Every structure is written in structure tokens, then in C-alpha cells.
Amino acid sequence: MFDMSESTSIEPRACGVYSTAHLLGWGVDHSRLRRLVDDGQLIRLRQGWYAETAADPAVVAAVRGGGVLSCLSALRMYKIWVPPTDAVHIRRSTHRRPRLGVSCHGFGAQPRLSDPVDSVLVAFGGAARCLAGGARRDCELLVAIADSILNGTVLTSADLRGAVAAAPPRIRRLLDLCDGTAQAGTESLTRIRLRSLNIVVRTQVVIPGVGRVDLLVGERLIIECDSRAHHTAATNYQEDRRRDRAALAAGYLVLRVTYADVMYRWEEVLADILKLIRRHDHRSTKHAR
Ligand SMILES: [Zn+2]
């Protein structure tokens, strides 16, 4: 419906949900608004908010639920990597009681609920609290989201630091772990988990004859992290196999991990990586260039 590449905020027109203030600003007065509702061209979601019939369902749900789309649900609209979530993440004004979805808002003073979808930075602030604040401490997921924002938008590390300026130091320090070169959430998670075990991992290393590989452990162990989106096309399938062959011929080991490997069976994958490392297979340079 709209091109989100590099956008960091979404116009109400792009998602088909409007406040009365937006409509009045565009010259739609109250009597015309009533006619649009009577004719079925606009649907009243709650007091002061309206939607077109073809409006984005997640945005409609958030506004019906008493707030605006935020946190993981908003970030997903910007094509930022987010972990799987079934809930609609909604930022509400503090006095409203949740009726559906998950209530999310960042640390410190929050902007007014003026647009139906929060900006990337406001949504990131919400995700920081939702994922890494309180009892939940899914810190690696927040770092993966930050990587994806740095890689996919014009926003900088300084922008992200500003968005969590009021967060506890433990959460602000997570941004030191970010790497905006990561090409997929699975790559971010693999890097973060291996480094947390003090395993030396280099990212986006260029290997002659092979090209840029996602991760290189030691001098020899290549880890390619396949995202669901980028490794299914026939041309990628062919190219991935050519790269694997060239890497093996040059003396490297190639380990390919899928989205499901990283999200749902990491222990198994890690056990195999650790076996290779214990055998010093990642260190051997006699065959590698
Ligand atoms: Zn949330």
C-alpha cells in the first residue's frame, strides 16, 4: 500500500486512519464528516478517530483499542526486524484502561497521541521497555531491532540513544552492542549470543572469491544467517551454493543457520558450533587463505 523504505514516520493518509484534527486540517468540516460516516466512506473507530474501509487492520485495532499503533507492531510496518508477536502493541494515554492488545510506552515523557502510528523512534522507545524493561529481559531482541533500524533507515546510533535517554543505564548500554551492518535479525542474534560467550566473531567480512559473509568465527568458520525474506528466490539459491562451494574450496567451513534454527532451536545449533570451536576447526588456517 505504501513504500516504507527508509521512512521513519507514517502519514495518516498512508494507513487510512485519521483523527478529527487531521480531517479538520484538510478542510473536512463536521457536517461533511457526518456525511462521510453516514455514506459509509469513513468508519468511526472511537471518539475523534476515523478510518477508511481499506485502512490497515493493525492500525484500526490499535486506535479502536484506545491508543495508537506502537512498539513492535509499528516497527513491523516500517519493515524493521521484530521478533514474532501475535499481540497488537498499543501506546495509550496513561489514564486509559487497556481493552485489547498490549499497552506499551517508552521511558520518560511521552509524545501526544496525535498520529495513528508512532514514529520509528517512539516505537523503539516502547520496544525498549516492552522487551528489556521490567521482568522481561529480552535484551538481545532489542539489540537486533536496533541493528535493523540502523541498517534499514537513515536513523543513527545517536538517534536511538536519544529515544532511550530516560531508560535505566542497563538498557542504554545495550546500544553499545549494536552493529548496523547486520543484514538480518537472525544474524544479529547469532552475533550477540556468540559474543556473550566470549567467542570472537567478525561481521560482514569480505572473502575473495566468495564475497561478503555474514559472520566469521576465528579465521575459518563462516556462519551464514538466512532470513526468511532473502534466501528463497531461485537466483539467491544458486548464488548461495556457489559461495558455499568457493568457500569450501578456499579452505573455509560454512555453517548455514535458518530463521527457525535461531528462533526455535538455538541450543542445538550452539552445541554444534561449540563442537567445531572445541576442535579448533575455526582456527586452522593451513587450508584457508
Ligand atoms: Zn510492546
Side-chain angles (χ1 to χ4, degrees), residues 71 89 104 130:
C71 191
H89 294 243
C104 308
C130 186

Side-chain angles (χ1 to χ4, degrees), residues 17 29 44 51 89 94 99 113 123 129 140 147 182 189 194 197 204 222 226 240 253 255 274 279:
V17 177
D29 62 21
R44 186 177 178 277
H89 294 243
T94 48
R99 281 176 286 172
L113 304 178
R129 191 169 197 153
E140 59 180 27
D147 280 359
L189 293 174
L194 294 179
L197 299 171
Q204 296 295 318
I222 293 169
D226 298 349
D240 286 347
L253 294 176
L255 194 146
L274 292 178
R279 283 206 308 257

Side-chain angles (χ1 to χ4, degrees), residues 70-73 85 88-90 102-105 123 126-127 129-131 136:
S70 191
C71 191
L72 304 184
S73 303
T85 179
V88 182
H89 294 243
I90 306 172
V102 183
S103 269
C104 308
H105 61 88
R129 191 169 197 153
C130 186
L131 292 175
R136 282 190 73 179

